[in-house]
Amino acid sequence: MRKPVLFLLGLSALGVILLWPVRPSALAAPPESYQVPGAGPTTPALAQPTSPAARRQAWEQHQRMEQASPVEDLAWRAVGPRMQGGRVESIAVAPGRTSTFYAGIGSGNLWKTVNNGTTWTPVFEKESSSTIGDVAIAPSNPEVVWVGTGEVLMARSSYAGTGVFKSTDGGASWTNMGLEDTHHIAQVVIHPTDPNRVWVAAIGHLYSENDERGIFRTVDAGATWERVLYVNDRTGAIDVVMDPSNPDVLYAAMWERSRKAWGHTTHGPGSGIYKSTNGGASWRLLSRGLPTGGLVGRIGLAVAPSNPSVVYALVNNEGGEVYRSDDKGETWRKVNAEPVATGYDFCLIQVAPDNEDIVYLPNNRFMVSEDAGRTYRQIEGTLVHLLPHGSRVLHLDQHELWINPDDGNHMLLGNDGGLHLSYDRGQSWLHLNNLPIGEFYAVSVDMDTPYNIYGGTQDDAAVFGPSTQVLADDLGEQWQHVYLDRWGGGDSYFTYRDPTDPDVIYYEHQMGDLRRKRMSTGQTDSIRPRAQAGDPPLRTNWMTPFFVSAHNPRALYYAGNRLFKSLDRGDTWTAVSPDLTSAPSMQDNVPWGTLSSVSESSLQAGLLYAGADDGYLHVTRDDGRTWTRIDGNLPDRWITRVVASQHEVATVYVSMTGYRFDDFSTYLYVSRDYGASWTSIGAGLPAEPVNVIGEDPADSRILYLGTDTGVFASVDQGRTWLSICKGLPTIPVYDLVVHPRDGELVIGTHGRSVFVADVTAVRALAAAK
């Protein structure tokens, strides 16, 4: 990597972070005073989930704005990366054409190959959802394809879908067939001879209760639906499988669960296995030999193709348990003689098509039993990558396994690392890592020529590569990993190159596990701050804000529930704030009451803003000696970004999200007086959660906005907005930055890697006003 031309780093959604060095004596103790205007809440104000009609109207507005956009020549280019892979949640293979298959990406749309993964075409680019729960092909007509939207993972950042979609031309076009309020669809099953008969397993809302969940059936190709299995508004359907010898026999797994921002209850008494013998018209609970009660969680099901009397269930019951039935579900017995791993995010089970006693558990690790579920060994195998990749082991976190019904040796495996192909039952794998499906959390840039882009991804490590990368099937990959964990990935978030030493990169794992790496030697140091003896433990966000000072290249800032500063590149730390959250009493299995975004003015040293997941927002004008809470007239929502203006010293922008309440409204504000008062600037935008806001460094009038479905711009400081989504798929934009020298907008997407566009047209539009 070349040395930077300018002394500049950290150009990301946090803004340009500039912190004036503070006297060591001022850092040795907590701030001298702390002003809080009134007691803050400990429980966030609950909102009604956004209705399907409101979401539909927002999408229609999104489409109108894109079609009417005055910016015609903003030519987006996809720059990768591809080699790292991404989360593959669903696989469907055309009957009789095993070289034609679809890969459904967690939040990266749907892809199709007709040549066994050699090349790919995205086929779900401009629909109302980018998130794929399941894809199914009609056995009697491979041109009929159904997609259930909404991720199955049910993690803290799993995106809600907008129902089920159908294509009758092999994915060339799509129609939304309803079930819009299901949010998350786990399975779609199509009748083997009648493509008009379809069953859908709907999980329901992630963060709120709702009624549109359970098993749904259509007998008229989706024109109408009936809910045929329902337990309660907290229990959804996580699996549905069909007896291959009799399509009227169906098994369904119901799962009771509840998630809030501060915790996830992954079990409940509504969980259980049901059976229908009349095509889903009626169902009965199966219980003989199966666990029941409030500790039963997610369940996976599989029917043995070679003997449909054999049914397996993987049950999360305070640990993994494998059950087998030899009489089509009437009675069950627990068969695993050793522990098996399972949970809310991994609970899949499959049976070999040619042997009822070979059972696969593609979960956190890929396990197989060859004695009817009693004992297990891990499947690893020789790993060959299509594009260069540093890992030699199969990636963790499996989400889908397809086994050729006519050849048990032939498998397709989807996991957090992408798509893998085997022709020898997993003894060897070809990693089809030629899809640009990285789930980026954050991006930053350097000042090399050409400049490089840095970013952290969901479970596929921190990466960097040139902004000039061209994606072509006959060209290689120029992106590189900053690091790889022993399983070929690792969660990463903010990633920065040291501004004065291009050989040093800072990156982090989840919950603020901060690292500093010298790339030439591989020397990596853990440099996260720690609570001092006697202090309460720190609370850190899943995506913990940290950054390098542009005024002092040896200064780092790190945000837990308090803000910390280091003057020696992370070797030692001092707290420069008290707890800047509400210190909420709801503390469960997810950290809550953490700082989620921090920004300092580039115009006035010591002017610093800190926003939290519980909606608290503070400002200091003296580099942390005193803090003032300034969220008094803002809504009580998770702060996604706070950005101090680089053009006007008293101006600060804040974006917020109601995502963790299934509230998809737009929350976007500006203050012109250091946060003393706020004005909404979200008018004219479609109702979509906002992930990031940033300024154009060359023009104070221009703002850029990343939402859960695309990117927007304003040329009048937020009074009006225009879409700049032309040329982009429907995709969550998590982060963005305008390169200060090259005038290019870099966006990090959560599912389609990185896109870049020259913003000359936007600047020209502003100049013409």
Side-chain angles (χ1 to χ4, degrees):
M1 299 190 307
R2 302 176 183 88
K3 291 186 177 180
V5 176
L6 298 177
F7 180 57
L8 178 63
L9 186 81
L11 297 166
S12 75
L14 291 175
V16 182
I17 308 302
L18 305 175
L19 285 181
W20 196 262
V22 180
R23 292 179 296 109
S25 61
L27 295 174
E32 300 160 7
S33 64
Y34 178 53
Q35 177 186 349
V36 179
T42 58
T43 305
L46 298 179
Q48 290 297 316
T50 302
S51 69
R55 296 185 72 196
R56 193 180 318 116
Q57 291 169 4
W59 174 246
E60 291 168 354
Q61 182 183 354
H62 180 108
Q63 292 176 301
R64 289 194 301 269
M65 290 182 68
E66 181 175 333
Q67 293 165 1
S69 177
V71 180
E72 295 288 343
D73 53 351
L74 196 70
W76 290 99
R77 63 181 192 271
V79 298
R82 296 169 293 177
M83 55 85 181
Q84 81 295 326
R87 186 163 66 241
V88 174
E89 288 211 17
S90 182
I91 301 166
V93 180
R97 304 183 200 167
T98 58
S99 61
T100 295
F101 50 90
Y102 298 82
I105 313 305
S107 56
N109 315 96
L110 181 69
W111 295 76
K112 180 180 181 179
T113 180
V114 296
N115 52 25
N116 216 32
T118 306
T119 61
W120 295 87
T121 301
V123 294
F124 201 76
E125 293 291 86
K126 288 292 188 179
E127 305 307 322
S128 55
S129 177
S130 66
T131 175
I132 310 298
D134 194 33
V135 55
I137 304 171
S140 59
N141 183 357
E143 294 299 298
V144 176
V145 184
W146 285 78
V147 166
T149 61
E151 292 182 81
V152 182
L153 189 60
M154 305 307 279
R156 73 194 72 225
S157 57
S158 296
Y159 277 100
T162 53
V164 286
F165 292 75
K166 183 178 72 172
S167 173
T168 57
D169 51 17
S173 62
W174 298 89
T175 301
N176 188 311
M177 303 306 296
L179 304 182
E180 294 171 285
D181 203 35
T182 56
H183 281 200
H184 299 270
I185 291 175
Q187 290 288 337
V188 178
V189 173
I190 306 173
H191 192 279
T193 60
D194 183 358
N196 295 320
R197 297 178 64 188
V198 180
W199 295 263
V200 170
I203 307 172
H205 290 190
L206 175 57
Y207 281 101
S208 58
E209 291 74 38
N210 76 306
D211 285 330
E212 195 164 277
R213 55 175 72 203
I215 300 292
F216 293 83
R217 180 182 71 170
T218 180
V219 296
D220 52 16
T224 60
W225 294 91
E226 55 180 327
R227 189 179 64 190
V228 293
L229 178 57
Y230 175 78
V231 175
N232 58 48
D233 62 3
R234 289 162 53 100
T235 302
I238 188 62
D239 204 359
V240 59
V241 296
M242 179 181 286
D243 184 327
S245 65
N246 184 352
D248 284 334
V249 176
L250 299 158
Y251 303 89
M254 303 298 284
W255 179 26
E256 182 168 338
R257 47 155 300 281
S258 175
R259 185 159 206 142
K260 303 300 179 187
W262 49 87
H264 192 186
T265 301
T266 61
H267 45 76
S271 302
I273 301 173
Y274 291 76
K275 180 180 179 179
S276 173
T277 57
N278 53 12
S282 61
W283 298 80
R284 60 187 176 88
L285 178 66
L286 303 178
S287 59
R288 293 179 63 187
L290 290 170
T292 60
L295 296 178
V296 178
R298 182 171 170 175
I299 300 169
L301 299 171
V303 180
S306 61
N307 180 7
S309 293
V310 175
V311 186
Y312 287 92
L314 175 60
V315 181
N316 181 19
N317 183 33
E318 291 192 290
E321 298 176 343
V322 179
Y323 292 83
R324 173 170 168 151
S325 171
D326 292 292
D327 53 11
K328 297 197 172 190
E330 296 306 311
T331 61
W332 299 78
R333 68 186 189 279
K334 182 174 176 292
V335 293
N336 59 301
E338 57 189 47
V340 296
T342 187
Y344 76 88
D345 43 1
F346 311 109
C347 195
L348 303 178
I349 188 167
Q350 292 272 26
V351 186
D354 49 1
N355 189 332
E356 67 188 68
D357 292 333
I358 297 179
V359 181
Y360 297 99
L361 303 184
N363 295 303
N364 178 254
R365 293 173 174 82
F366 190 11
M367 310 297 291
V368 61
S369 170
E370 294 162 325
D371 55 7
R374 184 175 180 274
T375 63
Y376 293 84
R377 64 175 175 85
Q378 184 174 349
I379 293 179
E380 295 179 285
T382 302
L383 184 62
V384 179
H385 304 279
L386 198 59
L387 290 174
H389 191 289
S391 175
R392 300 185 63 185
V393 298
L394 194 62
H395 204 289
L396 294 181
D397 299 355
Q398 322 307 315
H399 300 288
E400 176 74 300
L401 174 66
W402 173 85
I403 308 174
N404 189 332
D406 301 317
D407 180 4
N409 295 311
H410 180 197
M411 298 176 170
L412 284 166
L413 178 68
N415 58 33
D416 274 4
L419 190 62
H420 302 75
L421 171 66
S422 177
Y423 285 101
D424 52 18
R425 291 186 192 252
Q427 293 183 54
S428 64
W429 297 95
L430 176 62
H431 185 196
L432 300 173
N433 60 334
N434 55 345
L435 286 166
I437 55 173
E439 293 184 321
F440 275 76
Y441 286 105
V443 289
S444 64
V445 297
D446 65 19
M447 295 300 292
D448 285 3
T449 302
Y451 66 89
N452 295 294
I453 302 167
Y454 302 78
T457 68
Q458 193 280 323
D459 214 11
D460 289 307
V463 293
F464 66 97
S467 58
T468 52
Q469 169 79 61
V470 176
L471 295 192
D473 291 313
D474 56 351
L475 294 177
E477 183 87 315
Q478 296 174 275
W479 286 74
Q480 304 175 54
H481 286 106
V482 175
Y483 76 95
L484 275 176
D485 67 15
R486 61 183 298 227
W487 300 109
D491 288 310
S492 287
Y493 308 92
F494 297 107
T495 306
Y496 304 107
R497 191 175 78 173
D498 189 286
T500 57
D501 188 346
D503 193 37
V504 172
I505 294 179
Y506 302 93
Y507 67 93
E508 62 178 336
H509 299 297
Q510 60 265 51
M511 309 302 183
D513 185 4
L514 183 59
R515 308 293 178 92
R516 181 184 64 212
K517 181 175 182 179
R518 183 161 293 280
M519 298 299 292
S520 60
T521 66
Q523 174 65 39
T524 303
D525 299 310
S526 176
I527 57 171
R528 69 182 302 168
R530 306 283 180 178
Q532 294 186 356
D535 287 347
L538 294 180
R539 297 186 303 276
T540 50
N541 198 272
W542 178 256
M543 177 175 170
T544 297
F546 83 93
F547 41 82
V548 183
S549 170
H551 279 186
N552 178 357
R554 296 184 62 82
L556 301 180
Y557 295 84
Y558 176 103
N561 54 309
R562 306 172 70 185
L563 187 64
F564 291 81
K565 181 176 182 178
S566 171
L567 293 174
D568 50 17
R569 304 203 308 176
D571 289 335
T572 61
W573 295 89
T574 303
V576 293
S577 83
D579 191 334
L580 296 178
T581 76
S582 64
S585 58
M586 309 85 60
Q587 295 297 328
D588 199 347
N589 50 17
V590 176
W592 176 243
T594 66
L595 293 177
S596 52
S597 184
V598 181
S599 181
E600 188 182 20
S601 171
S602 60
L603 305 176
Q604 179 178 315
L607 174 56
L608 185 71
Y609 298 90
D613 55 11
D614 57 8
Y616 270 40
L617 180 61
H618 289 83
V619 63
T620 176
R621 297 202 213 179
D622 52 15
D623 209 15
R625 293 179 181 84
T626 59
W627 291 85
T628 301
R629 187 174 160 201
I630 55 173
D631 57 274
N633 62 341
L634 289 174
D636 186 13
R637 290 292 175 266
W638 183 297
I639 294 176
T640 55
R641 290 296 189 272
V642 54
V643 177
S645 172
Q646 56 188 301
H647 298 290
E648 301 170 359
V649 67
T651 296
V652 57
Y653 299 93
V654 170
S655 62
M656 313 175 88
T657 180
Y659 160 83
R660 287 162 182 81
F661 305 101
D662 291 320
D663 168 17
F664 305 121
S665 306
T666 298
Y667 296 104
L668 186 63
Y669 304 89
V670 64
S671 173
R672 311 280 181 195
D673 53 12
Y674 303 98
S677 61
W678 295 92
T679 301
S680 172
I681 54 173
L685 285 166
E688 302 172 0
V690 177
N691 300 312
V692 57
I693 183 171
E695 293 181 310
D696 191 308
D699 192 324
S700 63
R701 296 167 295 180
I702 301 176
L703 300 173
Y704 300 98
L705 198 68
T707 75
D708 277 356
T709 60
V711 60
F712 298 83
S714 173
V715 295
D716 53 16
Q717 293 188 321
R719 285 185 285 275
T720 61
W721 294 91
L722 58 96
S723 170
I724 51 175
C725 294
K726 287 184 179 179
L728 290 174
T730 303
I731 198 69
V733 177
Y734 255 43
D735 202 4
L736 56 81
V737 53
V738 179
H739 196 275
R741 181 193 65 220
D742 291 18
E744 292 188 327
L745 176 60
V746 179
I747 61 171
T749 75
H750 202 67
R752 291 292 290 272
S753 292
V754 178
F755 289 82
V756 176
D758 188 310
V759 294
T760 299
V762 178
R763 290 174 173 177
L765 191 63
K769 277 192 170 287

